[in-house]
Amino acid sequence: MRTIQHFIAGKEVAGSGTRFGEVFNPATGEVQARVQFANQADLDHAVSAALEAFPRWSGTPPVIRARVMYRFKQLLEENMDKLSEIVTSEHGKVLSDAKGSITRGLEVVEFACGIPHLLKGEMAENVGTNVDSWSLRQPLGVVAGITPFNFPAMVPMWMFPVAIACGNCFILKPSERDPSASNFMAALLKKAGLPDGVLNVVHGDKEAVDAILHHPDIQAVSFVGSTPIAEYIYHTGSSHNKRVQALGGAKNHMVVMPDADMDQAADALMGAGYGSAGERCMAISVAVAVGDKVGDTLIEKLAPRVRGLKVAPGTDPDAEMGPLVTRQHFEKVKGYVDLGVQEGAKLVVDGRSLKLQGYEKGFFLGGCLFDHVTPSMRIYKEEIFGPVLSVVRVPDYGEAVRLVNDHEYGNGTAIFTRDGDAAREFASRIKVGMVGINVPIPVPMAFNSFGGWKRSLFGDHHMHGPEGVRFYTKLKTVTARWPTGIRAGAEFVMPTMR
């Protein structure tokens, strides 16, 4: 059986860890590989390689670092199909979705290609008599990223291209459920000319995560995952004097106003609710129908389409939705559907009994649709992370806003309406980090920054874009005056510019 090893100092290496994890093909339920889990010695090896590479890489002119990113971008484009196949094989998402997610990661690489401009500081001449002042942004050193299973190529690319372009060296700990994409990208970066040790990949579970959080030579940690783990990452990393950005869970609402285009809203809910089998932190999992008439219309339009979803292995060109990532996650999502029925929600479409001929052992769950969900139910409160859409009915716009603002998560939200005043007011009042107006999944482009509010984000910085550059650099301000040959003598008061 194939063993997935670590990628350290420019090559795949067998670590000293003796524990392994299984990597499944979600469509068949079969184990297709095993991945070696890192121990403390393996992480120390990766950090040592990064520390050795840092002085030279951080001293490399930004324009040279940008050229490596340009070559990496070209190699990603040339290997798009291969990387998509790797993602689909281990995660299960359909090939078109895998390719789309890689494209969104590629956009961050394109952004990082502009690093010479992004690192420019500010200069002020003659802030005092013959005194100039300027600022610069310098890399932190060795930084790390811990990434989730749902986007094994995209989310790492939301981290390491910006960090590396800024002059840092990077330790990537991808999800142990679908680890191969990270090794593939690391090999492409080496081919693009990245010096050995600048990007290292260590695989593992909580042992590897804790080793990263406690390592004294790792200066910053980026994380994307569930809220309980994000909070743990934030508090543990911060207590060890690390800079931390930890993106957590979500319960994204889409408010549908009575004046909305209902066909457009239904299309949006289908794609945003069931795309990638709902395994997205930006998936719409709650449709807020403003008025019972809107609720009835949405259910009428959604129900037949949810029943008719083309669920198949991700390699099927006609597939709209693939399997869930593991049997464990399948059971978790199915358990939430069971719970919703127990709580009294109306299960309009039940996908629990889906079976695909020839793929009976695969982790397939059909689309599920609940109506008359209330805020007191756990299926409303908690992140399900599967193909389960809940319709909540509210009497008016004010109640819809209150519902969204009162939820503990604040990652993404959307409103569908033809009313410009309502849309503008919604964007202003809503307590959520990313807002869509007639856009169901408002993921910002790479030159903006991604992140939520409330318990969807721990830390002060959002991800990629200008916020990413700020996170992976530290600010230095220089104030200079050159002697003119006239010495005024020592001064013992607070310096002032005059």
Side-chain angles (χ1 to χ4, degrees), residues 16 143 228 248 263 314 323 334 336 368 370 381 399 401 443-444 455:
S16 59
V143 299
D263 289 325
K334 181 175 175 291
Y336 269 110
C368 299
F370 279 107
K381 295 177 181 178
E399 182 64 16
V401 170
V443 176
R455 288 180 59 77

Side-chain angles (χ1 to χ4, degrees), residues 223-486:
F223 172 81
V224 175
S226 68
T227 284
I229 306 302
E231 189 168 24
Y232 171 78
I233 296 284
Y234 177 72
H235 289 298
T236 306
S238 298
S239 70
H240 287 81
N241 302 314
K242 302 186 191 308
R243 183 180 290 187
V244 182
Q245 57 177 184
L247 281 66
K251 197 70 177 181
N252 304 318
H253 299 66
M254 187 175 115
V255 176
V256 183
M257 297 293 289
D259 68 334
D261 182 319
M262 292 299 160
D263 289 325
Q264 184 186 60
D267 286 342
L269 287 168
M270 288 300 300
Y274 300 102
S276 198
E279 294 172 324
R280 293 172 174 160
C281 69
M282 287 296 284
I284 293 293
S285 53
V286 179
V288 183
V290 180
D292 280 338
K293 184 177 179 181
V294 172
D296 292 342
T297 302
L298 284 179
I299 292 295
E300 180 184 344
K301 290 181 178 295
L302 288 171
R305 297 182 63 176
V306 177
R307 293 189 186 98
L309 273 170
K310 173 67 172 176
V311 183
T315 52
D316 186 328
D318 297 323
E320 295 173 322
M321 194 174 83
L324 297 175
V325 66
T326 61
R327 171 65 62 184
Q328 180 184 21
H329 190 59
F330 168 87
E331 295 295 345
K332 176 186 174 184
V333 176
K334 181 175 175 291
Y336 269 110
V337 181
D338 298 340
L339 177 64
V341 174
Q342 295 168 16
E343 290 182 313
K346 181 180 179 182
L347 184 56
V348 179
V349 182
D350 185 354
R352 291 174 294 181
S353 60
L354 176 72
K355 295 293 181 184
L356 297 182
Q357 186 174 358
Y359 296 94
E360 288 83 1
K361 294 183 180 180
F363 312 137
F364 291 96
L365 180 70
C368 299
L369 176 63
F370 279 107
D371 192 10
H372 297 290
V373 175
T374 66
S376 63
M377 297 177 180
R378 281 180 57 194
I379 62 165
Y380 170 79
K381 295 177 181 178
E382 299 174 14
E383 183 177 38
I384 297 174
F385 222 62
V388 182
L389 178 64
S390 297
V391 176
V392 178
R393 301 179 183 225
V394 296
D396 53 41
Y397 168 80
E399 182 64 16
V401 170
R402 187 196 64 77
L403 197 70
V404 177
N405 284 346
D406 283 353
H407 203 283
E408 66 172 320
Y409 295 130
N411 207 46
T413 190
I415 185 171
F416 272 62
T417 181
R418 291 185 172 96
D419 188 331
D421 288 340
R424 185 178 185 279
E425 207 263 355
F426 182 83
S428 176
R429 280 184 58 192
I430 214 69
K431 297 176 181 177
V432 174
M434 293 168 283
V435 181
I437 297 172
N438 298 316
V439 174
I441 304 180
V443 176
M445 291 292 289
F447 39 81
N448 293 113
S449 298
F450 179 101
W453 286 14
K454 296 183 283 190
R455 288 180 59 77
S456 292
L457 174 69
F458 298 87
D460 298 326
H461 293 274
H462 288 203
M463 194 162 283
H464 66 62
E467 284 279 279
V469 175
R470 286 189 281 270
F471 179 77
Y472 291 121
T473 58
K474 50 194 172 186
L475 181 67
K476 179 183 287 183
T477 304
V478 182
T479 305
R481 176 174 60 194
W482 294 98
T484 62
I486 301 173

Side-chain angles (χ1 to χ4, degrees), residues 30-248:
E30 298 172 346
V31 177
Q32 59 175 313
R34 65 175 193 164
V35 57
Q36 190 172 32
F37 285 177
N39 58 17
Q40 184 68 56
D42 297 326
L43 180 67
D44 289 343
H45 181 196
V47 173
S48 295
L51 286 171
E52 183 178 349
F54 177 69
R56 182 178 177 185
W57 181 245
S58 61
T60 299
V63 69
I64 304 299
R65 301 199 296 255
R67 288 170 186 162
V68 173
M69 287 294 125
Y70 273 114
R71 289 192 288 271
F72 179 51
K73 171 185 177 297
Q74 182 180 359
L75 289 169
L76 279 171
E77 291 169 339
E78 293 172 358
N79 291 273
M80 179 76 74
D81 290 341
K82 176 62 177 175
L83 185 54
S84 300
E85 290 167 4
I86 291 172
V87 170
T88 293
S89 172
E90 294 183 355
H91 175 271
K93 66 175 75 220
V94 300
L95 279 169
S96 58
D97 186 36
K99 187 173 291 189
S101 70
I102 294 167
T103 299
R104 295 309 304 263
L106 182 62
E107 291 166 358
V108 179
V109 179
E110 292 172 333
F111 172 79
C113 290
I115 201 65
H117 171 73
L118 297 166
L119 289 179
K120 288 193 302 185
E122 298 174 328
M123 201 281 179
E125 184 182 19
N126 223 36
V127 296
T129 304
N130 296 324
V131 178
D132 303 323
S133 185
W134 65 92
S135 64
L136 25 132
R137 303 205 71 93
Q138 296 185 324
L140 303 176
V142 179
V143 299
I146 302 166
T147 58
F149 71 81
N150 59 325
F151 289 104
M154 183 185 77
V155 173
M157 281 195 280
W158 283 7
M159 299 177 184
F160 71 74
V162 177
I164 288 171
C166 287
N168 300 284
C169 294
F170 201 89
I171 310 293
L172 173 62
K173 205 300 285 184
S175 170
E176 66 275 22
R177 300 178 189 177
D178 41 15
S180 295
S182 293
N183 281 27
F184 186 81
M185 291 187 293
L188 289 184
L189 263 168
K190 178 179 174 66
K191 190 175 180 180
L194 189 72
D196 293 348
V198 177
L199 175 66
N200 305 278
V201 181
V202 294
H203 301 289
D205 54 5
K206 188 177 185 296
E207 181 179 343
V209 169
D210 284 339
I212 288 170
L213 295 175
H214 290 84
H215 203 291
D217 292 320
I218 294 177
Q219 305 301 315
V221 177
S222 301
F223 172 81
V224 175
S226 68
T227 284
I229 306 302
E231 189 168 24
Y232 171 78
I233 296 284
Y234 177 72
H235 289 298
T236 306
S238 298
S239 70
H240 287 81
N241 302 314
K242 302 186 191 308
R243 183 180 290 187
V244 182
Q245 57 177 184
L247 281 66

